Structure formats: structure tokens, C-alpha cells
Amino acid sequence: MPDIAIASPLVAVAVLALPSAAVQAQARFDTTTQVLTVPTIDVNGAIYRNLQARLDADGRLTILSLQPPTLDLPTRIAAATATAASSTNACAAIQPFYWEIGNQQQRQASGSIAAAGNATRYDASSVMDIASASKWLYGAYVAERRGGALTNEDIQFLNFRSGYTNFGPLGCDSADTVASCVARGNNGVQSPQNIDRFFYGGGHMQKHASLPAPGMNLGDLNNTTLAAEMRRVLGPEIGISYVQPQLAGGVRTTANDYAVFLRKLLNNQLKLAALLGSNPVCTNPSTCPSAVSTPTPPDLSWHYSIGHWVEDDPVTGDGAFSSAGAFGFYPWIDAGKSWYGIVARVSLFGAGADSALCGAAIRKAWFTGTVQ
């Protein structure tokens, strides 16, 4: 992401970090307020307007406001659709899949992308195991039960610093309860050396759900009763079931139903809406001393919040909130909390990270109106 020099009689050099940006009008600098104003900036063909940035004492610019491009809906839809169907970008590698983007009210664009030689077709009604996309649902459930005021213990469990890092690869048995799954193997064994260190895994949420009151006290629930409890709290209009009573990875649902959940977040109908991105912890062991284990690629430095990722890598991130599942189900909400999106498919090989790459490309196309 190159820096752009903006010339002004009053400011020798001001640095604005926007990709391939070109200033379209004369910049103005107010010496009284130390605020730089740039009327328009062309970023890869998308026009950003009314940049205001303060020149701080250390020479850096702090962006105070920036109006993103105003794109009509047909332009957004065309760019996102072409990106999803491309044979040359990250989306080509994950075919077949279903995708959609929507706002607070409804789906705005969607498509079922086929794969050559593969008869499988996914749509909004396809029922599938969503693996770790379950984590976002449980984070929302806890926030709702707490009335939006999480305890310190809740936060430690939900951003994966509790030390319960021995959850087995098979998780729970389908006949388990939440508590009997904790008791299975080493699932409920705490590792003191990992307390207060990020370690991605299902043990944190499983143990947290099983804790007696004032904990969530869900230990006696099985697949059927757990799904009923989640729907009681999150909303009966969200259709979910459990293939195993695992809070972090056991949900089976559709893109249609998960989209209802995402729209409830966008409409501030769930307490987690105000907590998106809150209490973030760094996750990349190669750049973060307090991180132990992460499923993301080693060159990606995201943060983890309350049961969801914050895609804020300093090089490639756009700040979106997401919860990719290992089988390829990838839901997201943009950093501005105006749009949601889903990539839905089932695969057993590196599917979550690959779907995230495709989903991010579709998201960028939607925001820029440019095919990625």
C-alpha cells in the first residue's frame, strides 16, 4: 500500500495511505486546527470525498473523516457477481459455493457458483455443518444472557485465553451432553501455561458453557435441547440444529438462517452488536508473544474478539468481523456494520481460510464497484 505525497503551500508533505490513490483536487491545510482537507481522491477508480486529517506533533496524519465512494446497487452487484464467478481469483479455488451480501433489511445480491465436472450445487437453503462459524453464535448467546455486560471470566473464555486448550480433534460424541463432552478425554483439562495466551480451540467455549450458575449452566443439554436453548435466546426465527453439543463447532444450518442472525446484529437486535471487535487479542504467534496457536496463515495478523475474528491485518485487512468454519462456511460483517456477507460450501481441506480469501474479494468488489 504505497504512500501518496500531497503538495500544499502550507504543508510540505502529508502522507495518506490509500492503495493506488491520486489526489483529484487541491489540498487545503488550516494552520490553526492543523487539519488537512482533500476534496476528492481517486482510489483505483473509486472516488473518496472530503478527507479530513489532523497533522499530529509527531508528523503523522490522523484521519478524522473520509466519505467512501457512493456506488449504485447495480454497480455493486455486477462487481461482486463477476468476482464470485471468476476463474482467476481466490474464488475459483473453492467452487462450488453459494454467496450472498445483504444489509439490515434483506439480501441484496447472491449467486450459486458451479464447478466444472461437479454436480453439487449450494444455495441459500442448503443445510450444512458450519464448524467454527458456530463460535459467533455462542458469543452472541453469552452476550444476550449477560445483558451485554460480559464478566472478565466470560471475556477470557470467549477470546480463547482460558487455558482450556486440550480439546480433542473429534470434539464431542453425538450422544453427549455439553458436560459429558467436557469430561471426554482431555477436553476439560486446563493447561496453566496457556492461561491468558491466545490458543484457538473448542475447549474454551465447551468449558464455559458447562460452568454452573452464575455461569451459563448448559451442562445437561444435548443436541436437541441445546438448539432449543440457543433459539430461545437468539430468536426462534433462526433455524439451527447441532450434530454434536459442541458450542464452538457443532451447528448445522443454512445461509438463509445465518443471514437472519447477521441482520439481527446489523439492526442492534442482539447485545453482541455493540461488542463487535471488543476486547481483541492478537493471534499470530510469529508476531504476538501472547499467542500460542492460530488456524490463520502465518503471514496474517488478525485479532480475535468475542467469538469472532477481526480482519485487521496491517497490510491486507479491512477490519471486517467474521467467523470462518473449517468446512468452508464464512460469514462476515463489514467494519462499518452496514453490510453482511456469507460464503457457504462444504469441504474438508483448508476450507475456512480459502473461503475467507474469496469472501474478502467479493466484499472488496462490493465496496469499490471493481471486479477483483
Side-chain angles (χ1 to χ4, degrees), residues 1-364:
M1 185 177 290
D3 291 337
I4 306 299
I6 304 172
S8 166
L10 298 175
V11 181
V13 177
V15 177
L16 174 65
L18 285 173
S20 303
V23 176
Q24 298 290 89
Q26 180 64 42
R28 302 185 305 276
F29 183 71
D30 187 321
T31 55
T32 302
T33 62
Q34 296 289 292
V35 171
L36 171 73
T37 301
V38 182
T40 60
I41 304 169
D42 184 331
V43 183
N44 293 332
I47 303 300
Y48 288 71
R49 301 180 186 279
N50 300 324
L51 166 73
Q52 287 197 318
R54 183 183 64 246
L55 182 62
D56 295 325
D58 59 5
R60 296 182 300 172
L61 284 179
T62 298
I63 295 179
L64 304 176
S65 63
L66 180 63
Q67 181 180 334
T70 301
L71 298 173
D72 59 42
L73 189 58
T75 298
R76 292 183 189 272
I77 292 173
T81 300
T83 298
S86 174
S87 61
T88 59
N89 64 12
C91 294
I94 70 166
Q95 300 172 352
F97 65 93
Y98 168 79
W99 69 276
E100 74 172 69
I101 290 179
N103 59 11
Q104 291 94 333
Q105 288 75 44
Q106 61 189 4
R107 179 190 308 131
Q108 295 290 315
S110 64
S112 294
I113 307 300
N118 188 334
T120 302
R121 182 181 183 275
Y122 299 110
D123 60 29
S125 299
S126 298
V127 180
M128 61 187 70
D129 298 344
I130 65 170
S132 285
S134 307
K135 292 176 171 65
W136 210 348
L137 296 170
Y138 184 64
Y141 172 87
V142 176
E144 210 66 17
R145 286 274 306 270
R146 296 299 194 204
L150 300 177
T151 68
N152 289 335
E153 182 182 59
D154 293 333
I155 293 167
Q156 186 184 50
F157 275 92
L158 296 178
N159 63 16
F160 299 167
R161 298 177 298 114
S162 72
Y164 287 92
T165 55
N166 294 291
F167 200 69
L170 298 180
C172 311
D173 185 86
S174 61
D176 272 333
T177 62
V178 170
S180 68
C181 178
V182 173
R184 183 175 295 279
N186 291 323
N187 287 351
V189 176
Q190 190 179 38
S191 296
Q193 71 274 17
N194 291 331
I195 295 175
D196 287 329
R197 306 187 71 192
F198 177 81
F199 194 115
Y200 190 85
H204 309 278
M205 288 182 168
Q206 200 69 28
K207 181 66 176 181
H208 183 267
S210 74
L211 295 174
M216 295 297 102
N217 199 29
L218 304 180
D220 291 338
L221 302 188
N222 59 20
N223 283 336
T224 301
T225 52
L226 180 59
E229 171 64 6
M230 294 292 286
R231 295 182 69 190
R232 180 188 72 81
V233 172
L234 297 181
E237 70 275 31
I238 304 174
I240 64 171
S241 62
Y242 280 83
V243 295
Q244 53 177 267
Q246 182 191 160
L247 284 306
V251 170
R252 184 171 174 83
T253 190
T254 69
N256 265 341
D257 286 297
Y258 208 102
V260 173
F261 166 68
L262 296 175
R263 286 195 292 270
K264 292 188 77 165
L265 288 174
L266 291 181
N267 282 299
N268 294 307
Q269 294 172 318
L270 294 171
K271 301 298 184 183
L272 187 65
L275 299 174
L276 291 175
S278 65
N279 301 286
V281 294
C282 56
T283 63
N284 187 343
S286 67
T287 59
C288 173
S290 60
V292 179
S293 177
T294 183
T296 57
D299 60 346
L300 199 60
S301 293
W302 290 351
H303 283 77
Y304 201 80
S305 179
I306 305 303
H308 60 276
W309 294 97
V310 183
E311 299 189 22
D312 56 355
D313 181 86
V315 177
T316 62
D318 61 6
F321 312 110
S322 65
S323 188
F327 303 146
F329 194 93
Y330 171 69
W332 58 265
I333 285 175
D334 76 290
K337 304 179 186 179
S338 297
W339 303 95
Y340 76 87
I342 294 172
V343 170
R345 66 190 184 106
V346 179
S347 177
L348 301 180
F349 305 102
D354 293 339
S355 291
L357 288 174
C358 172
I362 296 172
R363 183 166 65 244
K364 185 174 181 180

